[in-house]
Amino acid sequence: MDYPIEKWVRDWNLTSQKRLPSDQQTYDKMLNLVSTQRNKTSMKYHFIHSWCKTKVYPDNLPTTSVVIVFHNEAWSTLLRTVHSVINRSPRHMLEEIVLVDDASERDFLKRPLESYVKKLKVPVHVIRMEQRSGLIRARLKGAAVSKGQVITFLDAHCECTVGWLEPLLARIKHDRKTVVCPIIDVISDDTFEYMAGSDMTYGGFNWKLNFRWYPVPQREMDRRKGDRTLPVRTPTMAGGLFSIDRDYFQEIGTYDAGMDIWGGENLEISFRIWQCGGTLEIVTCSHVGHVFRKATPYTFPGGTGQIINKNNRRLAEVWMDEFKNFFYIISPGVTKVDYGDISSRLGLRHKLQCRPFSWYLENIYPDSQIPRHYFSLGEIRNVETNQCLDNMARKENEKVGIFNCHGMGGNQVFSYTANKEIRTDDLCLDVSKLNGPVTMLKCHHLKGNQLWEYDPVKLTLQHVNSNQCLDKATEEDSQVPSIRDCTGSRSQQWLLRNVTLPEIF
């Protein structure tokens, strides 16, 4: 039976605590009394929320304009967002709300919406896009008409919590080049239940330039000295919810207006902030709920894949230097996409004297899925069978595959890193017992079962912990490589070849 969370909080009188109890063992013991993961998360939320309530913020915080873009949004979710902003923001800090309609077709989002917001106690302006323009250009229009010292971007299906705004504005007041995001709590799209998010994850990305949440690394925990009310420095942001100083937004180049609709803009602005002298944080004392929908309820003119590929290509060409090859090799079709003119963005990078992407990987995201140093990036080909390792689009905890080499990159792209890992995107080849199997697990950077020694003379890939060698597939399973005692046979010889990039358009 679960230990009641409310009783836990009352017993420890957490409202008077400013940081973790010094008796960490007691904290862990009490936490272990909670059986379900949801209740563990809830208890941790109670901890941090109670400590955050003790924070005192300056009276003269900057004002903010809240910019919300919507397209065919439901009345209930849009107004839930608006009312939560009004009801849970100190009035003197809230300059206005700017609603940007990206060419909605629903009648209730036209005159009825305008009539409704006129009655609200905070100025709410409805701006209309003349044609469907997408999130990026709609946000730019909203930012252009806003008046607050800070611009806060929210999605149209959110709920702000009590105390959400002050921690964000306080960080920007402390340093105007700090861009801040709240912790994004989850609102169920089935029941609209509100569930607390975690302060133990931050933003990253994989080789395909997909945004991903990853555990906050120990180095960041150490920097904060165990105080979980302090902001987390995050390599990237999800992009839907953040606050930025209005003038700084202009100085660093707002959004890339050459990007279309939506997709990739969050990584682009994240790289730009860090490489050009800013700071990107998740403020753990600020919580905003967000409805995570199972599917996008609207269409992308031109097709989702084409638009996201174009946007990602632009950010790779401008910001990623030679590390863009990871993206191109694993997604070779992207190199045929017309990504438009990037000369103005390259000029912006030069003007701001931004650092190289290698600096970003070294200093901001050293645990990135893109290794900073590597021996090879491409195929791993068996000498005897002429077949290649292939991830077969399988997932974590599944066996790595082997298949006829096709030279097209994609699922046959592996990197042998300077840390002696064999990586495919954010997964590493791992062997936990003698004779295998060889599975793909999240890279943990601790060597152990993910440590491989490549001999460029013998051409062997030796798994150090088991002292066995990677071998061809067995007769029992023709699509899975094996791990066996090292014999020096041709079936245990592997060629690590850098894939030649396809002709780049």
Side-chain angles (χ1 to χ4, degrees):
M1 181 176 178
D2 275 359
Y3 193 87
I5 294 169
E6 293 77 9
K7 186 176 187 303
W8 200 100
V9 174
R10 186 171 63 251
D11 288 352
W12 276 93
N13 193 21
L14 285 179
T15 54
S16 66
Q17 300 281 338
K18 293 187 178 180
R19 48 193 164 83
L20 272 169
S22 58
D23 186 355
Q24 184 71 40
Q25 286 184 331
T26 305
Y27 165 78
D28 292 337
K29 180 180 178 181
M30 302 305 289
L31 196 60
N32 286 335
L33 290 174
V34 179
S35 61
T36 65
Q37 187 58 47
R38 175 177 293 186
N39 279 350
K40 286 182 187 292
T41 302
S42 181
M43 180 177 282
K44 292 175 183 177
Y45 173 77
H46 271 281
F47 266 118
I48 300 167
H49 182 67
S50 298
W51 302 327
C52 286
K53 287 198 298 184
T54 67
K55 296 278 186 179
V56 177
Y57 300 102
D59 293 329
N60 58 340
L61 291 176
T63 62
T64 188
S65 296
V66 177
V67 176
I68 301 168
V69 174
F70 66 93
H71 173 75
N72 287 342
E73 189 70 36
W75 178 269
S76 58
T77 52
L78 178 60
L79 269 297
R80 178 185 192 175
T81 307
V82 170
H83 279 287
S84 71
V85 171
I86 295 173
N87 295 337
R88 293 169 178 172
S89 304
R91 179 64 188 89
H92 65 284
M93 298 178 193
L94 184 58
E95 179 78 30
E96 63 190 342
I97 298 174
V98 179
L99 299 178
V100 185
D101 174 18
D102 190 18
S104 295
E105 299 148 343
R106 297 174 176 176
D107 289 339
F108 61 79
L109 293 173
K110 298 178 182 178
R111 184 165 294 179
L113 177 63
E114 293 178 10
S115 299
Y116 184 90
V117 299
K118 285 179 181 177
K119 304 171 186 175
L120 299 177
K121 59 185 179 181
V122 168
V124 180
H125 313 291
V126 180
I127 309 298
R128 308 282 185 184
M129 303 297 287
E130 293 181 2
Q131 60 185 18
R132 180 79 193 286
S133 303
L135 178 76
I136 297 165
R137 295 187 184 110
R139 280 188 166 182
L140 286 173
K141 186 163 186 175
V145 303
S146 65
K147 302 183 182 71
Q149 298 163 267
V150 169
I151 301 171
T152 297
F153 294 104
L154 294 180
D155 283 343
H157 30 272
C158 292
E159 180 182 330
C160 302
T161 64
V162 174
W164 75 285
L165 186 57
E166 298 93 314
L168 300 178
L169 299 181
R171 293 302 296 169
I172 294 174
K173 178 177 174 58
H174 175 72
D175 182 353
R176 60 183 292 271
K177 292 186 177 181
T178 297
V179 182
V180 289
C181 311
I183 287 183
I184 304 176
D185 296 337
V186 177
I187 301 174
S188 168
D189 65 343
D190 292 323
T191 65
F192 284 86
E193 178 187 6
Y194 196 105
M195 294 167 281
S198 173
D199 70 309
M200 297 298 289
T201 58
Y202 75 171
F205 59 95
N206 60 15
W207 290 5
K208 294 182 179 180
L209 298 185
N210 295 325
F211 174 85
R212 292 285 184 269
W213 294 107
Y214 293 104
V216 174
Q218 187 60 46
R219 60 182 172 78
E220 181 63 11
M221 300 295 290
D222 293 342
R223 185 190 68 83
R224 297 157 72 211
K225 298 179 180 178
D227 187 348
R228 288 168 63 179
T229 67
L230 291 180
V232 174
R233 291 181 178 175
T234 181
T236 65
M237 63 169 155
L241 295 70
F242 71 97
S243 296
I244 185 169
D245 179 88
R246 176 189 176 78
D247 293 335
Y248 183 57
F249 187 52
Q250 295 294 326
E251 289 169 20
I252 64 164
T254 65
Y255 279 114
D256 178 0
M259 288 185 167
D260 292 334
I261 310 294
W262 171 91
E265 84 289 342
N266 59 321
L267 297 190
E268 193 275 341
I269 198 171
S270 298
F271 295 166
R272 183 156 36 100
I273 289 164
W274 280 117
Q275 288 175 244
C276 304
T279 302
L280 182 58
E281 295 179 341
I282 296 172
V283 179
T284 54
C285 284
S286 174
H287 282 254
V288 176
H290 181 273
V291 180
F292 288 91
R293 299 176 290 206
K294 295 183 178 67
T296 304
Y298 44 78
T299 59
F300 286 63
T304 305
Q306 182 77 5
I307 287 169
I308 292 177
N309 283 343
K310 173 190 175 181
N311 292 352
N312 282 341
R313 180 83 194 277
R314 288 180 69 89
L315 81 89
E317 287 292 329
V318 175
W319 298 106
M320 293 183 68
D321 305 326
E322 71 274 16
F323 293 94
K324 65 188 177 185
N325 292 343
F326 281 85
F327 175 47
Y328 292 156
I329 289 174
I330 204 168
S331 308
V334 173
T335 60
K336 304 297 182 183
V337 172
D338 182 357
Y339 58 96
D341 183 6
I342 59 171
S343 57
S344 64
R345 304 307 287 182
L346 291 171
L348 174 71
R349 177 173 175 174
H350 177 74
K351 174 186 173 184
L352 296 176
Q353 299 182 329
C354 304
R355 296 180 175 97
F357 198 70
S358 59
W359 174 89
Y360 171 84
L361 293 178
E362 186 83 30
N363 296 276
I364 306 305
Y365 199 13
D367 38 12
S368 164
Q369 312 313 318
I370 294 179
R372 286 165 287 159
H373 308 289
Y374 53 93
F375 176 78
S376 68
L377 174 64
E379 66 182 27
I380 299 180
R381 181 186 293 251
N382 188 273
V383 170
E384 181 176 293
T385 66
N386 215 32
Q387 290 185 316
C388 286
L389 292 186
D390 193 313
N391 66 34
M392 304 291 213
R394 293 171 182 162
K395 299 177 181 177
E396 183 182 2
N397 294 321
E398 295 184 332
K399 297 177 184 177
V400 70
I402 192 168
F403 201 70
N404 296 333
C405 301
H406 51 58
M408 299 293 290
N411 292 341
Q412 291 187 356
V413 173
F414 290 79
S415 178
Y416 182 60
T417 74
N419 291 329
K420 300 183 179 180
E421 305 160 320
I422 303 175
R423 304 183 63 146
T424 173
D425 201 351
D426 57 354
L427 301 178
C428 282
L429 299 199
D430 190 295
V431 179
S432 59
K433 59 183 179 181
L434 285 174
N435 302 316
V438 184
T439 56
M440 298 181 291
L441 298 180
K442 281 283 170 62
C443 301
H444 52 53
H445 314 293
L446 299 175
K447 299 184 178 181
N449 289 335
Q450 295 180 358
L451 182 65
W452 298 81
E453 190 76 53
Y454 182 65
D455 189 323
V457 177
K458 296 180 181 178
L459 305 181
T460 55
L461 277 166
Q462 183 179 14
H463 183 251
V464 175
N465 265 12
S466 67
N467 204 32
Q468 292 186 306
C469 288
L470 191 67
D471 208 326
K472 67 179 182 180
T474 62
E475 293 181 0
E476 292 79 20
D477 195 338
S478 62
Q479 292 190 337
V480 173
S482 59
I483 185 98
R484 299 176 181 173
D485 292 338
C486 299
T487 62
S489 64
R490 280 171 55 83
S491 68
Q492 293 183 352
Q493 293 182 329
W494 301 86
L495 298 175
L496 276 55
R497 293 180 174 176
N498 288 310
V499 169
T500 302
L501 278 171
E503 183 180 353
I504 296 181
F505 176 80

